Amino acid sequence: GVPYFECPVGTGVFAQPGQLSASGGVPASPQAAATPAAAVSAIPSAALDDDEIVIVPAAVPSQFNSSDGAFSLGQPVMWNGKKSIVRYIGDVEFAKGEWVGLELTDAKGMHDGNVMGVPYFECPVGTGVFAQPGQLSASGGVPASPQAAATPAAAVSAIPSAALDDDEIVIVPAAVPSQFNSSDGAFSLGQPVMWNGKKSIVRYIGDVEFAKGEWVGLELT
């Protein structure tokens, strides 16, 4: 019953960092993670001509929180009445200001997190959109606020009293706060990785209640 992150039903798994490798197929390292502009995949020379090195563009680094503190990576939000999950926060090349990249959970979007050739985040094809923070509200239906974001243990949704008896306040459990990077710096939220030969995206990093140590929550793609 503990919500660590959100992903489509049947696509979530947990793994320990040592079980993961960079999306290109080699173990990620703190040095590789320190160069977010590109993920470098060194494929065995036997499979390439002249020891070729393959450079795979990685996602643009995201902020963990919006500048006003109202939104954070992995947070469920509403956009135009559609349920979505925050996958990116920060600057973009196609417009000025701070933008939020969203993965729509039950509606059609416009892209897969890659816009005009720039990879900001990853999500299933046709589920990604970008919006400005002012266009979003907390998943319960009211605008998120820095105060609400400052209490990560629960997302409080104050629904209009006309729809409730005695001005009831509805408390909706929110996801457990995630670290942005793994303790060794090898993995970060939103990073594409391989687990047991399967492509996946890092959606949570940190402690869990079901086992000791640091764990990584993955969305299998």
Side-chain angles (χ1 to χ4, degrees):
V2 180
Y4 293 99
F5 62 99
E6 288 200 13
C7 63
V9 175
T11 65
V13 298
F14 272 93
Q16 291 186 299
Q19 298 173 300
L20 307 178
S21 63
S23 188
V26 295
S29 66
Q31 291 79 7
T35 57
V40 180
S41 304
I43 300 176
S45 58
L48 299 169
D49 295 329
D50 301 323
D51 297 336
E52 177 185 359
I53 300 298
V54 178
I55 307 299
V56 182
V60 175
S62 171
Q63 300 166 200
F64 188 69
N65 295 305
S66 57
S67 57
D68 62 0
F71 302 103
S72 59
L73 289 180
Q75 180 181 348
V77 296
M78 296 292 288
W79 171 75
N80 282 353
K82 301 179 178 72
K83 293 181 179 179
S84 54
I85 304 170
V86 175
R87 296 305 190 200
Y88 174 85
I89 301 170
D91 295 333
V92 295
E93 292 192 8
F94 56 81
K96 293 182 178 180
E98 184 178 68
W99 288 76
V100 180
L102 304 172
E103 177 185 339
L104 303 182
T105 55
D106 51 11
K108 289 186 178 180
M110 300 175 64
H111 51 73
D112 61 356
N114 187 310
V115 179
M116 299 173 65
V118 180
Y120 294 98
F121 62 98
E122 288 200 12
C123 64
V125 175
T127 65
V129 297
F130 270 94
Q132 291 187 297
Q135 299 174 299
L136 307 179
S137 62
S139 190
V142 295
S145 66
Q147 291 78 6
T151 56
V156 181
S157 302
I159 300 176
S161 59
L164 299 168
D165 294 329
D166 300 322
D167 296 338
E168 178 185 358
I169 299 297
V170 178
I171 307 299
V172 182
V176 174
S178 170
Q179 301 165 199
F180 188 69
N181 295 304
S182 57
S183 57
D184 63 359
F187 302 103
S188 59
L189 289 180
Q191 179 181 348
V193 297
M194 296 292 288
W195 170 76
N196 281 355
K198 300 181 177 74
K199 292 182 179 180
S200 54
I201 304 170
V202 175
R203 297 304 191 198
Y204 173 85
I205 302 171
D207 295 333
V208 294
E209 293 192 4
F210 56 82
K212 293 182 178 180
E214 183 177 67
W215 288 76
V216 180
L218 303 172
E219 176 185 340
L220 302 182
T221 57

